[in-house]
Amino acid sequence: TARYYYALLGMAAMMAMSFAVNAVSLAQANLSALGIRRSVAPLPKLQQLLAGFLSSWICSFLSLTVAMLYIRFGCQISLGGREWAGLMASFATSAFGTLIGAIQGVSTSAKQGLCTALACTLSLFSGLYGSFAMDLSDQIAQHAPLLSMLNPAQQITNLFYDILYYDSFRPFFATVGVLAAMSLVCLGMATVLLRRQRYEHL
């Protein structure tokens, strides 16, 4: 039962990518009127990206905290006393959402749809949809560990799973390291994409 709720937290965190998508899309001149004003402002794009990322990280963390409080006190499911793991989960999903938001030539609604599709699909492989999904997640982890490692929903699930089921903190910090590395790659790619954006007309 606890494992299901950890997978549910993973999906909730993945759905929170939409905060970052909105923040980045609002900064793009071809997607919003606010973006047009920002494009002619003297504020560098890197600072705009950082401000949008931090604001989406805070919103994502607060939303995830509400979900964790409900699971802990409403459902009486222990999170192992490490609820602060939500900080890393929200950081990672905000980075993923920033990268999706930076994709050029795609409308904001299409990016939101992509976020939802990714969250639902990746959560299947993290064990969210019942015993079949849990067995599938175990099979992937055993026979294709690289695919399991590259699944952000699985890694966010592992943040809570590692804390509860292992005496050592090594698995937990390994998961944090994987998510941090993936997040930095996403933020780097998003920065490159946004800095290369040019508009022929608005």
Side-chain angles (χ1 to χ4, degrees):
T1 301
R3 182 178 175 185
Y4 164 78
Y5 282 100
Y6 298 154
L8 185 62
L9 281 173
M11 182 179 183
M14 293 294 292
M15 292 294 288
M17 290 188 296
S18 60
F19 290 121
V21 169
N22 282 333
V24 175
S25 296
L26 286 174
Q28 293 176 288
N30 62 333
L31 294 179
S32 74
L34 177 60
I36 295 175
R37 293 193 293 272
R38 286 183 176 181
S39 67
V40 297
L43 188 64
K45 287 186 177 181
L46 184 60
Q47 292 185 22
Q48 295 183 35
L49 175 65
L50 181 61
F53 171 75
L54 290 177
S55 62
S56 61
W57 182 13
I58 292 171
C59 291
S60 175
F61 174 65
L62 292 177
S63 299
L64 193 57
T65 299
V66 171
M68 288 191 293
L69 289 174
Y70 172 74
I71 291 173
R72 176 65 185 88
F73 297 105
C75 303
Q76 299 297 315
I77 300 294
S78 175
L79 297 175
R82 298 295 189 275
E83 287 78 1
W84 48 265
L87 272 173
M88 188 66 235
S90 56
F91 178 87
T93 55
S94 295
F96 302 146
T98 299
L99 176 58
I100 293 174
I103 297 174
Q104 302 180 36
V106 180
S107 67
T108 303
S109 59
K111 293 175 184 178
Q112 293 287 5
L114 179 59
C115 285
T116 302
L118 281 174
C120 294
T121 302
L122 294 177
S123 294
L124 168 65
F125 302 106
S126 67
L128 177 63
Y129 304 116
S131 58
F132 166 77
M134 291 182 187
D135 292 339
L136 179 61
S137 175
D138 291 338
Q139 290 294 322
I140 293 173
Q142 182 177 358
H143 300 291
L146 181 60
L147 292 178
S148 180
M149 185 180 69
L150 294 177
N151 182 352
Q154 180 66 62
Q155 294 304 314
I156 293 170
T157 301
N158 288 346
L159 278 176
F160 303 98
Y161 186 87
D162 293 344
I163 289 170
L164 185 62
Y165 287 99
Y166 294 102
D167 294 330
S168 171
F169 274 89
R170 180 176 294 180
F172 172 76
F173 286 122
T175 301
V176 168
V178 170
L179 282 173
M182 294 170 68
S183 301
L184 292 176
V185 170
C186 288
L187 288 175
M189 293 174 63
T191 301
V192 171
L193 288 175
L194 288 174
R195 292 186 67 177
R196 290 183 175 179
Q197 286 185 356
R198 299 291 184 271
Y199 308 102
E200 294 182 1
H201 58 84
L202 295 174

